[in-house]
Amino acid sequence: MSGSIEADPDRLRSCANRVEAAAAELREAHTVLNGSPLRPESFGELGGTLRAAEAYGRAARSLREQLGRAGDVLAASGDGLRGVADRYENLSAETALAIARLDRR
């Protein structure tokens, strides 16, 4: 059919599983990184003088925030894919019922 779109609910659910697994990995990494923040003494006396800890701390904080958001976005994407799969599956079932009703007439 020209211009039609087909969706395979099982394939969409498989993609949702992979996306959700990736989200779980990112969230785990986020948790680990939040538990091990950079400390000023990690940069030694010269690092303290040059304020390296502050600069690296800001960069690390920004990256941790981005990692947290990425995990949230992936988790939401997995939910969305699962919802699309459910919708297409329901649509297919509804369409099959409508065709069956028409055939009985």
Side-chain angles (χ1 to χ4, degrees):
M1 221 187 276
S2 175
S4 67
I5 296 175
E6 291 185 35
D8 179 353
D10 292 332
R11 184 139 189 197
L12 288 170
R13 284 191 189 92
S14 175
C15 288
N17 290 339
R18 288 195 308 269
V19 167
E20 289 167 347
E25 287 180 30
L26 287 180
R27 286 179 166 170
E28 182 178 337
H30 184 253
T31 299
V32 168
L33 289 174
N34 276 340
S36 304
L38 292 173
R39 305 204 186 295
E41 53 272 4
S42 301
F43 298 93
E45 188 176 327
L46 180 60
T49 303
L50 298 174
R51 300 176 70 172
E54 292 174 30
Y56 282 112
R58 283 191 302 274
R61 194 169 30 260
S62 175
L63 290 172
R64 283 194 309 270
E65 288 171 4
Q66 290 175 26
L67 186 61
R69 284 192 302 272
D72 293 343
V73 167
L74 279 177
S77 297
D79 289 343
L81 281 170
R82 209 170 290 290
V84 169
D86 292 344
R87 180 67 183 134
Y88 272 100
E89 196 167 68
N90 290 338
L91 259 176
S92 294
E94 290 169 12
T95 302
L97 278 172
I99 290 171
R101 285 186 198 123
L102 289 173
D103 284 345
R104 281 186 247 152
R105 288 184 181 179

